[in-house]
Every structure is written in C-alpha cells, then in structure tokens.
Amino acid sequence: MLKLDAVTKTYRQSGNEVHALQSVNLKLEAGQFVAIRGPSGCGKSTLLLTAGGLLRPDHGSVEIDGTSLYHVSSAERAAVRQEKIGFVFQQFHLIPYLSVLDNVLSATIGTKQHLSEKKERAESLLKQFSMSHRRMHRPGQLSTGEKQRVAMARAMLNHPSLILADEPTGNLDKENADVILQQLRCLARDGAIVVLVTHDDHASAAADDVIRMEAGSLMLE
Amino acid sequence: MGVGRMIWMEILHRKWNFLLLLLVLGMVVAYALTSMQIIAAEQQQTEAKVAAMDDDIRKTMKDLGFNINILPKDQQLVDFYANDFADKTMPYAFVQRLADSEFVSSLNHLRPALIQKVDWPEQKRQVLLMGVSGVVPWTHRSNAKKPMSDPVPADSMNIGSALAKQLNLQVGQAVVLNGESFKVNKIYDPRGTKDDITVWIDLKRAQSMLNLPDRINLIQALECNCASIDRLAEIEKEISGVLGEEVQVIELSASATARAKARTNIANEGKIRLAELAKTSRTRTLWLIGLGATVVGFLAYFNVRQRQFEVGVLRAVGAPTSKILMLFIGKLFLAGLLGAIAGIAISLTACKLGLVGVEGISSSSWFSQVSGPALAAVFVLTPALAIMAGWVPAAIAAGQDPALILSEE
Ligand SMILES: Nc1ncnc2c1ncn2[C@@H]1O[C@H](COP(=O)(O)OP(=O)(O)O)[C@@H](O)[C@H]1O
Ligand SMILES: [Mg+2]
C-alpha cells in the first residue's frame, strides 16, 4: 500500500517559491494502476520522487507497506527503494559506460543475493524484453525503445511492489510505448501498485484510474 | 553487480581521470623514494670517503710508523728540520740499552737509523740515505709477532717513488752507489714526503759507507702507550732513566694527526650535509604530499561532478549511501595502490637511466636502499593519502540529493 498524507513540497530558489506539491493525499492499494495527468510543471515528477523516497517533503508523510519513508534512516529508505520500488524515467537514466546487463544489475548493488541468482533474473527479464542479444551493448548503441526496455527490466529486477513511471513513453513511438504500457499492466495484474505519470491520452488509457494534477494538487477525473 | 566491477567500469570509462590520479600519486611516491635513494647514496659516499681516509691513516701510521724520534742530545733541532737528518750521532748501544731496560714500558717498537743527505755520483743526484736495521727486540718483553717493516737485505736498497721515477729504476735492477753495488729490492708508492727521495739500505753498510761505525743518528719508536696525556714528558722521563741526559725526544705525529683531522672533518661535513639533505628532501616531500593531496582532491571533486547523474540513478535504484561512498573510496584506494607501484617504477627507471644525477645510484642498489618497512609504508600511506584527499568530495557525492538531477528533463 502507498499512502501520501498531506504531502507538501515547496521549492525555494533565489527568492522564488514554487509550490510543487500542495497538501497531496493519495492512497493506492496493491494491484492498482493509476495514471497522473497534468500540464508540464504542475508537480508530477516531484510527486513521484517524493513518493519514491528520493525527495523529502516539507510536510506530510509517505508510507509504503506500513513504513513511513521519511521517518526512517536514509539507509533504511534506500533499502525500501531497492526492495519495493522500481523507477522508470522518460530519459531512461541508464549508466552510459555499463553494458545492458550491468545496467539491469545495477539495481542489485548492496543486495545480499548471490550474483548467479541476480544474473539469472536479469537475463530472464532481458529475454522477456527481447534484449538478450544486446546484453553486452552499451546504452549508446541502443534505440530509444530499447533503452526504455532496459530501464524497465532494471526497475523490475527486485520484484517491486510499487512502480513509479515518469512519462516512460514520452520519447517512444507507439509500438515501443505499447510494450512498456503492456508491461505496466502486467505488473499491476500481478499485484504491484503502478503510478504512471503522463500527458498522453493513449498512455493514460492503459491505467485503471486517471488522476488530474494541477498546480501541485490532485483531483480525481 | 558488485561495487568492484562498477569501479572498474568507471575507471575504464574515464581513463584520464584515473591516469592523472595515478600520475600525481606516482610522482609523490617517486619523489619520496628517490630522495631516500639520494640520501642513502650520499651517506654511502661519505662513509666510503671516511673509510678511505681511515685506510690512508692506517697506512700512514704504518709507514711513518714511529711516532717518537729520539735524537742525540746535542743535535740542533733547527738543523734537523732543515736538513731532514741529524748531523750529530750517538752510539748504536743506546737503542740496545733501551731494549734491555726493564723500566721502559711506554715505548714499543724501536728502530735505529743512520741518515744522511749524500751525493749519488753515479746518478748525479743528492739523496737521503737511510741505513736501517729491523726492529730491535725487547729483552724482557714478549715481542710483537710481526715487525712493522722489514729490514733491508744487505745487498739491496729500497727506493722512494719520486727518485725511482726520475732515475728510471726498476725492481731487480743492479745499481751502484758510491762504488758499492746494490740490487733494487723495492720501490715505494708515492707518499708526498721526503720518503719519496730516500734510499734505504742496511744499517751496517750505511755505517761503513758513511764511515760512522756503530753510530746512529736516529731512534724511531712506534706506538707509545703512555698512561698520561703529557706523553712526551712521560717518555722523556723513562728514556732519561736509561740513557741519562744524552738524548732528546720529539714527537713525530704531525702527518698522521693532520690526516686524522681531515678524516674527522670529512665525516663531520658529511654528517652535516646529510642532515641538510635529509631536511630539504623531507620538507620538499611534505610540500609535494600537500600539493599531491590538493590535486587528488580536485580530481576527486571533478570526478564527483562528472558522476552526479549516475550517483542519482544508483540512489534511485536503491544503492545505499555506504555503497556509493565505496565507489569513490574504492577508486581512490585502487589509485593509491597503483600509484605506489607507479611511483616505485618511476623511481626505479629514473635511477636506472641515471636521471637522478647523483653518483652511486643504480637500479641494482635501489632495493637494498629501500627497506621493507619503508615499502610497506608506501603501500599503506599512498592509498591513505588518496582516500583522505578525496574523502570530502566523495562524501558530498554520496550524500547529494538525486532528485535534482533525476527530475531534469
Ligand atoms: N529542483 C527544483 N528547484 C526549483 N524548482 C523546481 C525544482 N524541480 C522542479 N521545480 C519546479 O517545480 C514545479 C514542478 O516541477 P515538476 O515536478 O518537475 O513538474 P512536472 O513533472 O509536472 O513537469 C515546476 O514549476 C518546476 O519548475
Ligand atoms: Mg516531469
């Protein structure tokens, strides 16, 4: 379960204040797939980073499966991210000098699993995304669609119960976007919470519910 | 995916950053090690110089041998010093009386001689002719096993180097001196004294040639072992106890003393120079370490800036802060280890190619000059230096807020 309670975030930069999140409340259960839509700059990315334990809110709390993310140590927060959260970004955010396989495996830094187990899991995900033959390639050698599939495999590596996807299809053609959206659907069907940020109708149609966001606030559509 | 692999891939990706780290650390290590080499070489050179002086002094003591000259009482010292020999003589019996005495204890080896400056008509030269016998044995003492210098055989002569050179004399050659024939028995190495123009022959032959039978004009005594500091007075007292007031005693140690002083000077100067050298190289090494640490800090900071993005990504996928710190520290550690090796290689190469410009430094002596603990220290301190210098940037990187980078579009 993901629960945001009165989450507020204000950016302060050179005297200017940007109210990116204004007392946001959100509660999502396992298996829910929601799309968050809204104009650029309304606070969508801020919402995902805050929900994912990467950005401490000014007020309010974020709870994942009973753990209040910002009331635990940063090490524990990192552990929650690793075990429970999978991020997918519009810009893919792959590490340029690591191979496809190593990029997927980068989600396992510091985990206790055996390397062979991790590798097996990574290989099977790459196979699932038809990327096995490119596992030794660098991100620079991949098309955007392929990059996002690798990023998707990385997000899924540790069997997350929460997927936070920030405009994952924003840079993709329809075919490649469908691969990602289909995969998000599958994850939700298998019991994960999926939060998809998008401003694309086609993408939001894949979700069960669509939430509108405007100027830092959520409103159900 | 382990931290080690991640470090390695990053190093391969940003080779220059790592190579610069290696170079900087290597230079610091190389400088420190080469300084050690230079100091060790200087020390060895000084020691070798002192040892050579010691050797020289020992030889001088042996050749001059006698550090007491006993002269006839009526000999004017002015003339003795001017002529290099005593014009007055004394009976050979004097030396025998000394040797027979039970009271003389501070004198050791006694050697009688008859010296005169004579013309060598056959060679048209003036030379110092020195008639010598062997050491006169003590009647009441056990004598030294080995005589300090051999007596000259009756049919032979020993010749000083300058004389032999000028007259073109060779060992074994037959020569005639004042109508008497001799064989050249020995030619001495140069000593830089009147010895170089001296001819040594058997005492008895000298006495007969100079028409002074049973007379001598010098008793040399070696290795006085006096109890008091005022040894000349002590010796005079002993000798007058045997010979009355018939002789006078002068100490003959100037040359040896001068050399001993020179040796002490060289040793002291060497010590001072070494201390100065050690001090400058210590200061310079410390400066270089400071400079190296600063550059390493900058390189680490630069690396952190370059890696903001991947750090953000790693944090997003759940890498703990400690592991991210490890990425940077591990790289610095590796740079330190390899930098130590690079430093050793640079120092070795510089010594081998003679780039150091100090005598006595070679690659073969390199390892003997660097002690095991010093090498171990290099391998511990270099990574430690790298890590300390890069710690702050690394900690900043590990703690930075990933949201900033990740939300950039
Ligand atoms: N690090 C930041 N510092 C200052 N302002 C920021 C920062 N990140 C985002 N903002 C501002 O906060 C608002 C919300 O940003 P964001 O969450 O990225 O919106 P969206 O993802 O919906 O485009 C925008 O006005 C943006 O300019
Ligand atoms: Mg955004």
Side-chain angles (χ1 to χ4, degrees):
Chain A
M1 190 186 72
L2 169 69
K3 194 173 150 213
L4 275 70
D5 198 7
V7 170
T8 303
K9 177 75 194 176
T10 305
Y11 292 111
R12 286 178 186 84
Q13 216 175 38
S14 54
N16 290 341
E17 286 196 353
V18 179
H19 303 283
L21 297 178
Q22 306 204 53
S23 194
V24 170
N25 294 302
L26 182 66
K27 196 172 158 193
L28 298 172
E29 300 289 346
Q32 252 189 297
F33 183 176
V34 298
I36 295 179
R37 297 191 60 179
S40 180
C42 71
K44 304 183 295 292
S45 295
T46 305
L47 178 66
L48 283 198
L49 292 172
T50 308
L54 284 174
L55 185 63
R56 181 182 289 278
D58 302 327
H59 300 288
S61 70
V62 177
E63 228 177 78
I64 293 176
D65 294 342
T67 306
S68 182
L69 273 191
Y70 297 100
H71 291 107
V72 296
S73 70
S74 78
E76 284 170 275
R77 201 154 49 243
V80 170
R81 277 202 298 276
Q82 192 157 53
E83 287 161 23
K84 303 204 163 171
I85 304 174
F87 276 102
V88 188
F89 302 95
Q90 181 176 4
Q91 304 297 333
F92 326 120
H93 290 347
L94 298 175
I95 296 176
Y97 56 83
L98 295 182
S99 67
V100 162
L101 181 60
D102 280 339
N103 259 293
V104 176
L105 284 170
S106 68
T108 66
I109 283 185
T111 58
K112 300 221 158 36
Q113 267 177 312
H114 262 290
L115 182 67
S116 58
E117 271 176 63
K118 297 177 193 177
K119 261 200 166 142
E120 211 174 296
R121 167 78 177 147
E123 299 267 15
S124 86
L125 281 170
L126 287 176
K127 196 168 168 198
Q128 188 182 328
F129 285 109
S130 318
M131 289 297 292
S132 286
H133 61 298
R134 315 216 56 173
R135 51 209 242 283
M136 287 305 150
H137 289 213
R138 297 287 151 88
Q141 298 168 290
L142 305 180
S143 70
T144 51
E146 289 169 325
K147 281 182 197 168
Q148 196 59 300
R149 279 183 265 157
V150 174
M152 195 71 204
R154 178 179 64 189
M156 289 165 62
L157 190 78
N158 295 321
H159 304 281
S161 54
L162 171 63
I163 297 280
L164 300 170
D166 193 352
E167 307 203 33
T169 59
N171 284 335
L172 305 185
D173 57 44
K174 187 174 172 302
E175 234 169 284
N176 279 305
D178 281 342
V179 173
I180 301 299
L181 293 172
Q182 217 170 345
Q183 190 56 52
L184 292 174
R185 270 239 65 85
C186 278
L187 287 167
R189 193 191 57 216
D190 292 346
I193 302 169
V194 178
V195 182
L196 169 68
V197 161
T198 183
H199 51 240
D200 168 28
D201 291 337
H202 177 69
S204 54
D208 300 325
D209 304 295
V210 178
I211 301 173
R212 267 209 72 75
M213 185 162 190
E214 239 167 79
S217 303
L218 297 183
M219 45 201 81
L220 217 52
E221 241 175 28
Chain B
M1 183 80 180
V3 168
R5 183 172 169 79
M6 185 87 199
I7 290 172
W8 186 237
M9 299 308 284
E10 198 271 338
I11 287 173
L12 292 182
H13 180 60
R14 300 197 181 91
K15 292 183 197 73
W16 282 108
N17 184 274
F18 193 69
L19 284 178
L20 281 174
L21 273 180
L22 284 194
L23 191 70
V24 171
L25 292 166
M27 290 311 252
V28 174
V29 170
Y31 185 84
L33 286 176
T34 309
S35 301
M36 282 168 69
Q37 296 286 326
I38 291 172
I39 291 169
E42 287 280 343
Q43 184 157 16
Q44 270 187 348
Q45 268 175 334
T46 308
E47 276 165 12
K49 258 185 220 157
V50 170
M53 289 297 281
D54 280 347
D55 219 39
D56 202 31
I57 290 164
R58 222 172 290 119
K59 269 190 210 137
T60 310
M61 292 297 282
K62 183 169 167 267
D63 291 345
L64 290 173
F66 309 90
N67 46 15
I68 296 294
N69 274 352
I70 302 171
L71 299 167
K73 175 70 187 170
D74 50 357
Q75 175 63 44
Q76 291 292 324
L77 284 183
V78 183
D79 295 333
F80 175 76
Y81 290 129
N83 300 331
D84 290 329
F85 68 94
D87 45 274
K88 302 288 189 271
T89 61
M90 55 192 165
Y92 177 86
F94 276 16
V95 68
Q96 196 56 56
R97 268 161 69 188
L98 285 173
D100 287 343
S101 163
E102 284 178 76
F103 304 108
V104 175
S105 61
S106 55
L107 299 187
N108 269 326
H109 308 285
L110 293 174
R111 200 176 179 199
L114 180 61
I115 311 170
Q116 273 192 16
K117 204 168 271 172
V118 299
D119 284 325
W120 188 346
E122 289 86 352
Q123 299 284 2
K124 298 189 175 63
R125 267 233 68 84
Q126 210 177 34
V127 296
L128 268 181
L129 182 68
M130 188 160 177
V132 289
S133 73
V135 169
V136 179
W138 296 95
T139 313
H140 304 286
R141 295 192 218 168
S142 56
N143 288 284
K145 280 168 220 132
K146 211 176 139 200
M148 291 309 291
S149 55
D150 299 321
V152 185
D155 64 343
S156 301
M157 65 165 58
N158 292 353
I159 302 176
S161 77
L163 195 59
K165 197 169 172 197
Q166 212 218 359
L167 303 182
N168 200 17
L169 298 175
Q170 313 291 333
V171 171
Q173 194 176 334
V175 288
V176 178
L177 171 58
N178 272 327
E180 305 240 359
S181 51
F182 295 87
K183 196 180 86 209
V184 177
N185 179 52
K186 194 182 268 178
I187 293 168
Y188 291 110
D189 289 335
R191 292 172 183 173
T193 64
K194 66 181 165 60
D195 283 1
D196 290 349
I197 53 150
T198 299
V199 170
W200 288 266
I201 62 171
D202 175 57
L203 179 60
K204 284 246 153 55
R205 278 191 87 174
Q207 286 168 336
S208 79
M209 281 173 71
L210 297 170
N211 226 352
L212 289 165
D214 285 326
R215 302 298 289 184
I216 54 176
N217 58 3
L218 178 67
I219 300 170
Q220 297 173 313
L222 169 70
E223 287 176 15
C224 305
N225 36 4
C226 296
S228 65
I229 293 174
D230 189 6
R231 50 191 189 187
L232 207 55
E234 188 181 334
I235 286 169
E236 272 172 344
K237 200 173 150 218
E238 269 187 12
I239 292 174
S240 67
V242 179
L243 299 179
E245 297 297 307
E246 292 182 84
V247 295
Q248 56 183 319
V249 179
I250 56 175
E251 189 169 357
L252 185 78
S253 60
S255 175
T257 310
R259 278 171 213 234
K261 267 193 193 132
R263 174 220 183 263
T264 314
N265 281 347
I266 285 184
N268 285 344
E269 276 166 24
K271 241 183 241 158
I272 292 168
R273 218 190 29 248
L274 267 181
E276 268 168 17
L277 196 66
K279 203 177 137 198
T280 25
S281 64
R282 214 175 18 244
T283 325
R284 286 192 192 158
T285 304
L286 282 177
W287 271 105
L288 205 61
I289 287 174
L291 188 71
T294 312
V295 177
V296 167
F298 270 111
L299 286 172
Y301 176 72
F302 187 64
N303 191 236
V304 161
R305 299 283 308 203
Q306 282 184 312
R307 296 173 73 176
Q308 275 181 322
F309 163 73
E310 59 197 77
V311 167
V313 172
L314 289 174
R315 285 170 69 87
V317 299
T321 306
S322 61
K323 294 287 171 185
I324 292 171
L325 194 60
M326 282 285 290
L327 287 180
F328 290 92
I329 299 303
K331 179 179 177 178
L332 292 166
F333 178 78
L334 198 63
L337 273 191
L338 296 179
I341 293 171
I344 291 168
I346 293 171
S347 176
L348 254 172
T349 312
C351 292
K352 185 171 191 135
L353 299 181
L355 301 178
V356 180
V358 173
E359 238 177 274
I361 289 188
S362 71
S363 55
S364 57
S365 65
W366 195 93
F367 280 102
S368 59
Q369 308 287 28
V370 178
S371 64
L375 270 188
V378 163
F379 278 106
V380 172
L381 293 180
T382 316
L385 174 73
I387 290 171
M388 282 191 292
W391 185 273
V392 171
I396 291 172
Q400 78 192 355
D401 190 348
L404 269 174
I405 298 131
L406 296 179
S407 62
E408 270 166 21
E409 269 155 36

